[in-house]
Amino acid sequence: MMLRRFLIAGSILALSLPLVACDVATTQNGTASAGQVEWTDGNLRQLREAIDHRAQHGLDHLKFEAKGDGPAAQTELALRYAAALAHGASDPTKLYDVYTVPRPNLDLRAGLTKAMADGKLSDWLESLAPQSEEYRALSKAYVALSRQADAPATAIPATSKAIEPGQSDGRIPAIARQLVASDYLDKGQAGGERYSEPMVQAIKRIQQDFGIKPDGSIGSQALEILNLSDADRARAIAVAMERTRWLDRNPPATRIDVNLAAARLSYWRDGKLANVRKVVVGEPDTETPQLGSPIYRLVANPTWTVPRSIEQKEIAGKGAAYLRRNNMVRKDGWIVQQPGPKNSLGLVKFDMKNEHQIYLHDTPAKQLFAEVQRQRSHGCVRVEDAEGFAAMLAQDAGIKDQWYKARATGKESFVPLPREIPVRLLYQTVLFDDQGEPVVRADPYGWNDRVLVALGFKAGSGARLRGSGADIGP
């Protein structure tokens, strides 16, 4: 059978992976050799239809074409699209200085050959994308929002006059919904068209977080933060799908996931969600990196050796009295904070294996857990009720007695875990509400922009979180 040329208009999708020339052996005249799989009309049709429906994966702003004629070009195109579904159309290790979260590792060439032989190319391609309910919800929402994304009006129209406390305005319900979605307002406090006192306090908090005068007036600056058009939401959801495709489809059943964008920790035990709690993560300019790094031991009553960067920026010029007040001493040229409740690591440290000196820990700055935007540290992850979380991990690991004995010493003590607990430090700006619907949240680090560009969108222009310089802790 003669091979038919298959062309999809547009530019070639550039992937960081090395391209594979061809998985199908051919003769010089372009036909498939004996015993090999052909690019039949049916396989070509399935590939074309799959790429035509790429909007279901938020890939519709990327265009694909076969580079040349013949089976090698068709195979190259199929592998490119398969790679985009299997582990993302972009490479996070090239988008970010640090990205070590485990990624999918599939033999796409072998899979393509088998799918073509079975005549199930479309089924195979679709199976490469994440199969979770969350991913399906993202896909459904993206397709729906994309149909409305050309509308020029924003979700909450701005006017020349700001909304003042106590006033009634038809935009208030939409503003309240976004405040609830962003965790600034409780559900029970939203209702009606009156700008109520609970909403005023919520607006003041969001203004403060984003560096706006916290006067409670809903003007153009406040609306810039709150206002998400359908196009904005669609772009955020496309990024969320891409970030999901970066992840291993079968993560460890027992693990800890930390969402840096939402500052939330999820503890999974034997495949079930066992615990969710707040965390404080790196503020802008000292962002917590996206790591895959296991906890290998618990540390009771930890000391803290102050990094040079924090010493130079936060402590330089402060005298001996400051060191005494903060229970700090100099050892071998370093400033070391001694164990105790005022230690910047608190009473518990969760030691992790990575070269970036990033770990989970307790903190004496408990008030930061009451913040909505909890990007307030120098890069490490502070855990709400870290003592309770450490006790939970020790109980599950069968080392509860050893842990409590270590705590009781009052001295820095190390308790190894029998089995390391994998930790994934992720960044996801789309969460899910009680009904399983995606909710777009803030992008505190501005890390979505580079993914948007890689997916063929324009970079966003939304407001950015302001760093606070809250304390010297890691």
Side-chain angles (χ1 to χ4, degrees):
M1 179 184 294
M2 295 299 292
L3 293 170
R4 180 178 299 171
R5 185 182 182 211
F6 172 36
L7 178 67
I8 296 179
S11 60
I12 298 173
L13 171 64
L15 292 178
S16 59
L17 297 177
L19 296 179
V20 181
C22 189
D23 289 304
V24 184
T26 58
T27 61
Q28 290 184 348
N29 65 6
T31 59
S33 62
Q36 301 298 324
V37 179
E38 290 184 354
W39 269 104
T40 64
D41 288 348
N43 284 331
L44 289 173
R45 182 178 63 256
Q46 290 183 59
L47 178 59
R48 179 172 60 248
E49 290 175 351
I51 295 177
D52 285 346
H53 289 88
R54 63 192 182 278
Q56 295 176 358
H57 303 284
L59 296 171
D60 47 320
H61 284 248
L62 292 175
K63 297 180 180 179
F64 300 79
E65 67 179 6
K67 187 179 180 180
D69 296 318
Q74 310 300 349
T75 300
E76 179 183 301
L77 174 61
L79 286 172
R80 286 177 172 176
Y81 187 61
L85 296 176
H87 46 69
S90 57
D91 184 348
T93 66
K94 290 181 169 56
L95 295 180
Y96 301 98
D97 292 337
V98 178
Y99 190 97
T100 65
V101 180
R103 301 188 63 200
N105 183 19
L106 301 174
D107 188 342
L108 296 179
R109 288 173 287 179
L112 174 63
T113 301
K114 185 178 188 307
M116 290 170 61
D118 294 342
K120 296 183 178 180
L121 180 56
S122 59
D123 291 344
W124 175 70
L125 287 170
E126 192 60 29
S127 74
L128 296 176
Q131 301 298 307
S132 66
E133 291 299 323
E134 289 81 4
Y135 188 85
R136 293 188 183 96
L138 291 172
S139 175
K140 181 180 177 181
Y142 178 79
V143 172
L145 288 168
S146 296
R147 292 176 183 146
Q148 308 168 41
D150 293 333
T154 54
I156 308 172
T159 62
S160 58
K161 287 188 177 182
I163 306 173
E164 302 296 342
Q167 291 182 345
S168 293
D169 192 288
R171 294 169 290 175
I172 290 297
I175 293 171
R177 283 194 296 272
Q178 189 58 37
L179 288 171
V180 170
S182 303
D183 278 352
Y184 281 91
L185 187 69
D186 293 335
K187 289 181 181 179
Q189 296 174 322
E193 296 187 353
R194 181 177 173 275
Y195 185 20
S196 64
E197 183 58 27
M199 284 188 64
V200 174
Q201 296 306 315
I203 288 294
K204 286 183 177 180
R205 291 181 73 184
I206 202 170
Q207 288 172 326
Q208 189 170 18
D209 282 345
F210 285 85
I212 301 171
K213 181 180 178 182
D215 57 9
S217 178
I218 306 177
S220 59
Q221 287 183 305
L223 285 175
E224 182 184 357
I225 301 169
L226 292 166
N227 218 355
L228 290 175
S229 66
D230 289 334
D232 293 330
R233 290 186 172 88
R235 285 193 291 267
I237 289 173
V239 171
M241 283 193 281
E242 177 73 349
R243 291 184 183 280
T244 303
R245 289 190 291 267
W246 290 345
L247 301 178
D248 188 353
R249 302 296 187 268
N250 297 296
T254 296
R255 68 183 186 278
I256 295 169
D257 288 340
V258 176
N259 184 344
L260 306 176
R264 294 183 184 179
L265 177 153
S266 300
Y267 172 41
W268 295 83
R269 183 196 300 125
D270 297 328
K272 296 181 180 180
L273 185 60
N275 187 257
V276 177
R277 60 186 62 215
K278 297 176 182 178
V279 293
V280 173
V281 299
E283 66 180 5
D285 299 326
T286 58
E287 300 96 338
T288 303
Q290 299 167 90
L291 297 180
S293 175
I295 294 173
Y296 69 98
R297 67 182 179 185
L298 305 178
V299 184
N301 313 303
T303 61
W304 178 44
T305 300
V306 180
R308 295 294 190 202
S309 59
I310 295 179
E311 178 182 349
Q312 294 167 4
K313 185 177 179 181
E314 311 286 349
I315 303 178
K318 296 181 179 178
Y322 174 87
L323 297 183
R324 285 195 300 272
R325 285 197 308 272
N326 289 278
N327 200 21
M328 293 177 172
V329 297
R330 291 190 179 274
K331 289 185 178 180
D332 301 323
W334 293 85
I335 295 177
V336 178
Q337 192 173 37
Q338 300 302 296
K342 293 184 179 180
N343 186 286
S344 292
L345 302 185
L347 297 173
V348 180
K349 179 184 178 185
F350 306 81
D351 252 344
M352 296 167 61
K353 290 182 176 178
N354 62 78
E355 62 185 18
H356 307 284
Q357 299 183 356
I358 296 296
Y359 44 84
L360 278 60
H361 64 92
D362 186 17
T363 177
K366 311 295 186 187
Q367 73 279 3
L368 293 180
F369 294 113
E371 298 292 327
V372 177
Q373 301 293 345
R374 295 184 295 279
Q375 289 74 24
R376 304 299 186 195
S377 81
H378 280 90
C380 286
V381 179
R382 308 177 188 183
V383 181
E384 184 181 35
D385 184 22
E387 295 176 69
F389 189 54
M392 181 185 300
L393 298 185
Q395 173 75 34
D396 292 347
I399 56 171
K400 182 178 178 181
D401 290 344
Q402 299 97 301
W403 172 243
Y404 280 114
K405 287 178 182 177
R407 284 287 315 280
T409 65
K411 299 179 181 179
E412 185 172 52
S413 304
F414 304 94
V415 181
L417 291 170
R419 290 175 297 280
E420 295 179 350
I421 302 176
V423 178
R424 301 190 301 178
L425 305 181
L426 309 170
Y427 190 85
Q428 185 59 277
T429 63
V430 178
L431 304 181
F432 294 88
D433 62 20
D434 295 339
Q435 287 72 46
E437 295 298 320
V439 176
V440 177
R441 298 281 299 259
D443 176 14
Y445 292 166
W447 278 358
N448 280 358
D449 285 354
R450 61 197 75 180
V451 186
L452 283 170
V453 172
L455 293 176
F457 294 88
K458 292 182 179 179
S461 57
R464 293 288 179 256
L465 183 68
R466 181 185 62 174
S468 66
D471 56 49
I472 66 168

